Amino acid sequence: MQLTEKMKERRKRMMLCALYLVISTFTIVSCTQDYYEKGEGKYSLMRADFCIVRTDASKTVHYAVTDEGDSLVLKEPYTAKWLTTPDSTYRALIYYNLNMESNDSETELINLARIPSATIHKPDFFKKGIKTDPLGFESIWTSTNRRYLNLGLILMTGETSEKANHSLGIVCDTIMHNPDNTTTYYLRLYHDQGGVPEYYSQRTFFSIPIQAVHADSVCMTLNTYSGIVEKRIAITQNR
């Protein structure tokens, strides 16, 4: 059975070949690299979906719930260093093999990468100033379940020491109450290149919980290598 056009488009958009994010705090995130094989072969039916996972008492994950509402029961329990807290929920990107011909209800996991959930802060939170080093902008969208605002970014990176890391965050500059009785958050992307060399580009994602955005829409400003980019997006909140 062949993949549908919709599934092909999702695979093209979601498949990553690099850089997944590791939380340093829940407000500013720093980045390391992780590589995946592409094309035909072992991972030719690999699928990637944003999801929520929850650890048990032993900090182990047994299942994932995708943004589309699919429950994926893992064939083998999964644990990792970033799963630090028992009985806790994490935002993640799940890589798994898509077996179109099997009736097996369990999921063959390839990898699980943590996606940081960014906290929104006022400008005075950043005691050393707001960094807006340039990066690449790819996309901004709300998750299918309307619980997250997601950003797809391109970071310039290269071989470096462990002390050099990108840092990302979200600044709320203004909350605007509009004439039509709606509210807009004016957000700015904090980005500190952190001494990382700019040799090649890598794609990365992070998410903002919509529940933390007490507004009907957001206006996101980013400093890119092509200049300032401003993106507006409506928010439908599930409260």
Side-chain angles (χ1 to χ4, degrees):
M1 184 181 298
Q2 294 184 344
L3 299 178
T4 65
E5 289 301 318
K6 182 178 180 180
M7 293 173 68
K8 287 180 179 178
E9 178 62 27
R10 173 185 289 172
R11 178 185 172 196
K12 180 180 179 181
R13 180 168 67 89
M14 296 287 294
M15 191 84 67
L16 300 182
C17 64
L19 203 124
Y20 81 84
L21 295 177
V22 178
I23 290 289
S24 60
T25 71
F26 285 102
T27 55
I28 303 295
V29 297
S30 60
C31 313
T32 59
Q33 299 170 11
D34 199 9
Y35 293 89
Y36 295 92
E37 184 178 332
K38 297 189 298 180
E40 299 302 320
K42 181 179 179 181
Y43 298 145
S44 62
L45 292 180
M46 184 176 75
R47 176 166 168 169
D49 283 302
F50 287 98
C51 68
I52 293 295
V53 298
R54 184 171 179 82
T55 56
D56 61 14
S58 63
K59 298 185 286 189
T60 301
V61 171
H62 296 269
Y63 69 94
V65 180
T66 72
D67 285 358
E68 285 71 31
D70 297 326
S71 294
L72 306 176
V73 179
L74 306 185
K75 283 186 177 181
E76 297 182 4
Y78 178 87
T79 188
K81 290 181 179 180
W82 58 267
L83 296 166
T84 58
T85 308
D87 301 314
S88 296
T89 300
Y90 291 87
R91 181 76 167 149
L93 182 58
I94 185 170
Y95 297 84
Y96 59 102
N97 277 333
L98 187 64
N99 191 335
M100 302 295 293
E101 299 178 353
S102 174
N103 294 321
D104 192 347
S105 61
E106 295 185 324
T107 298
E108 182 184 358
L109 178 69
I110 296 173
N111 197 23
L112 196 64
R114 187 173 186 181
I115 299 295
S117 294
T119 301
I120 299 171
H121 288 288
K122 295 180 179 179
D124 59 8
F125 173 83
F126 301 88
K127 304 302 182 183
K128 296 183 179 180
I130 298 171
K131 298 277 190 176
T132 56
D133 293 335
L135 41 61
F137 171 75
E138 191 172 70
S139 55
I140 182 170
W141 75 100
T142 55
S143 60
T144 306
N145 58 16
R146 314 301 291 183
R147 294 181 180 177
Y148 289 93
L149 179 64
N150 303 306
L151 279 87
L153 305 170
I154 304 295
L155 302 181
M156 297 302 295
T157 187
E159 295 295 330
T160 185
S161 68
E162 293 182 358
K163 293 182 179 180
N165 287 291
H166 288 274
S167 296
L168 298 169
I170 298 293
V171 186
C172 182
D173 288 315
T174 307
I175 300 175
M176 183 68 71
H177 300 286
N178 306 310
D180 60 357
N181 293 321
T182 62
T183 302
T184 302
Y185 269 32
Y186 284 79
L187 305 178
R188 189 169 18 148
L189 184 69
Y190 174 102
H191 174 228
D192 183 359
Q193 185 75 21
V196 177
E198 300 176 68
Y199 296 148
Y200 55 89
S201 61
Q202 302 292 349
R203 181 186 298 168
T204 190
F205 299 101
F206 75 104
S207 299
I208 304 169
I210 287 179
Q211 192 173 25
V213 183
H214 304 286
D216 302 285
S217 62
V218 301
C219 179
M220 178 70 70
T221 300
L222 310 92
N223 183 27
T224 76
Y225 289 102
S226 300
I228 299 297
V229 171
E230 184 178 275
K231 294 293 181 179
R232 296 172 180 266
I233 186 168
I235 299 294
T236 300
Q237 302 187 52
N238 294 330
R239 293 173 182 262

